[in-house]
Amino acid sequence: MRFLQIGLGEIGRGIAAEAVRRGHALVGAIDPAFAGRPSATCIPGAPAEQTVAPNLLALFEGGVTADAAVHASGSFLEKEEGTLLALVARGLHVVSTCEELAYPFYRHPERARALNERAVSAGVVLLGTGVNPGFAMDKLVVTLASAVNRIDEVRVERVVDAISHRESFQRKIGAGLDRAAFDALHRAGRLGHVGLAESAHLIADACGFAAERRIDDSLAPVMGEQRIASAFVTVEPGHVAGLEQHLTLYVDEVARVRLSVKMALGAEPVFDRITIEGEPRIDAEIETGIPGDPGTIAVTVACIGLVAKLAPGLRTMLDVPLIHGAEA
């Protein structure tokens, strides 16, 4: 598959490099922060003569053609919608790590409708994916749920030790801040994991729960008890090591989906746990947890080779038959 890489942050660079390693052809890369630099300085295996473009217009004016685009430049659909529409208008399949695109039908119904109509009209697929949302707390969950006859409640817990994660991730969970600074950023909407609501609605739809729902969610700091340092931040005792988020989806005031994630420097034990109450009951745990950044890269690259096989439109991970060896 000939693909464009939109966004060259750590995740974007990792996706592009792995896609090239698996046989996909990188025909262009876009990121204003790296504009003019040889792509190969950012992406191992990129063509030696290729340079990073500042924007889509510059790339297309240069005559670049592609089959698909990997979009890895933002989490919020309102901000990324214009880029996604521009890619679709060029007749490109789009695989995006935008968290709110993973299942946008409840928080962004009008945008979801417009994106679907444009993608259908262009005959292309638009897909939001990643490890979370996209796999660990939704796709994997509903895969297990397919072996349950009656589903009463779904609970998913995820604990992540952030000490080896990228700097932007550690900043996003508030590591190193004092409590006042954490609270201020929380009020400004600049902290936390994006995508829990998307995962909850995906699970609820897959399990056949009613569409009239109410969601409660909360976010709180995880305070460090001893000094701990990563390559990017130092957490002093009494300062923030990370955060916890909890989301509950209710149907007729009955809790049906409960999602919890703890992300902090030194968090332990690390695990992913999925519990499905029903008949039969399933209680599954991955003791080491699913790695976040490598997992996002792997899932996204697997989808590059699969999107062209899906029906045109706005698709979700419910539509994707994930396999590791998708054709390039």
Side-chain angles (χ1 to χ4, degrees):
M1 182 82 75
R2 299 173 304 156
F3 77 102
L4 306 178
Q5 179 63 45
I6 316 298
L8 293 176
E10 190 169 341
I11 293 295
R13 298 195 304 270
I15 291 169
E18 179 61 17
V20 170
R21 190 190 71 81
R22 293 200 202 178
H24 297 284
L26 178 68
V27 296
I30 297 171
D31 193 315
F34 295 92
R37 291 175 53 176
S39 296
T41 64
C42 307
I43 305 166
E49 71 282 0
Q50 188 182 102
T51 59
V52 179
N55 50 53
L56 279 172
L57 182 61
L59 193 69
F60 292 135
E61 284 182 343
V64 171
T65 59
D67 304 306
V70 176
H71 170 266
S73 61
S75 301
F76 300 102
L77 191 52
E78 180 179 5
K79 186 175 180 180
E80 302 303 322
E81 182 181 24
T83 300
L84 297 172
L85 288 172
L87 293 168
V88 166
R90 287 280 177 170
L92 301 178
H93 299 293
V94 181
V95 179
S96 175
T97 61
C98 175
E99 287 93 333
E100 288 191 343
L101 186 66
Y103 210 73
F105 311 106
Y106 289 85
R107 285 214 281 191
H108 299 285
E110 293 182 4
R111 287 191 170 89
R113 189 178 305 110
L115 288 167
N116 180 63
E117 289 174 355
R118 297 285 188 89
V120 169
S121 178
V124 299
V125 168
L126 180 58
L127 174 71
T129 190
V131 81
N132 188 30
F135 184 75
M137 300 185 81
D138 39 48
K139 176 73 169 181
L140 180 58
V141 178
V142 301
T143 301
L144 292 174
S146 65
V148 179
N149 290 310
R150 189 195 74 247
I151 301 171
D152 300 325
E153 181 182 325
V154 176
R155 297 192 300 276
V156 188
E157 303 167 78
R158 181 168 168 83
V159 177
V160 177
D161 182 357
I163 197 162
S164 61
H165 281 240
R166 63 193 186 278
E167 181 178 7
S168 61
F169 181 89
Q170 294 182 18
R171 302 293 182 189
K172 186 175 70 171
I173 64 173
L177 299 176
D178 62 29
R179 180 61 188 266
F182 180 95
D183 289 344
L185 289 176
H186 180 202
R187 287 192 298 270
R190 294 173 57 189
L191 291 177
H193 170 66
V194 180
L196 281 186
E198 284 70 25
S199 292
H201 283 301
L202 185 152
I203 291 169
D205 280 351
C207 291
F209 297 146
E212 293 298 324
R213 303 166 186 169
R214 177 175 68 84
I215 282 181
D216 283 344
D217 55 21
S218 63
L219 183 153
V222 174
M223 307 306 292
E225 297 180 358
Q226 59 187 11
R227 191 176 191 272
I228 184 170
S230 72
F232 310 109
V233 300
T234 298
V235 176
E236 301 292 348
H239 282 61
V240 176
L243 55 80
E244 289 185 89
Q245 288 181 246
H246 304 279
L247 181 146
T248 303
L249 182 149
Y250 296 88
V251 177
D252 295 328
E253 297 307 310
V254 176
R256 291 294 196 177
V257 180
R258 299 180 189 269
L259 305 181
S260 300
V261 59
K262 178 179 180 181
M263 305 172 287
L265 268 63
E268 60 178 4
V270 171
F271 65 84
D272 282 282
R273 181 180 296 133
I274 298 168
T275 304
I276 302 172
E277 300 289 355
E279 180 56 44
R281 181 179 189 270
I282 288 180
D283 193 354
E285 181 172 327
I286 301 173
E287 292 183 354
T288 57
I290 299 171
D293 291 356
T296 292
I297 291 168
V299 172
T300 304
V301 173
C303 289
I304 296 172
L306 294 168
V307 285
K309 301 177 182 180
L310 304 178
L314 174 59
R315 298 293 161 216
T316 75
M317 291 302 287
L318 291 177
D319 302 305
V320 178
L322 267 184
I323 55 174
H324 181 272
E327 294 179 1

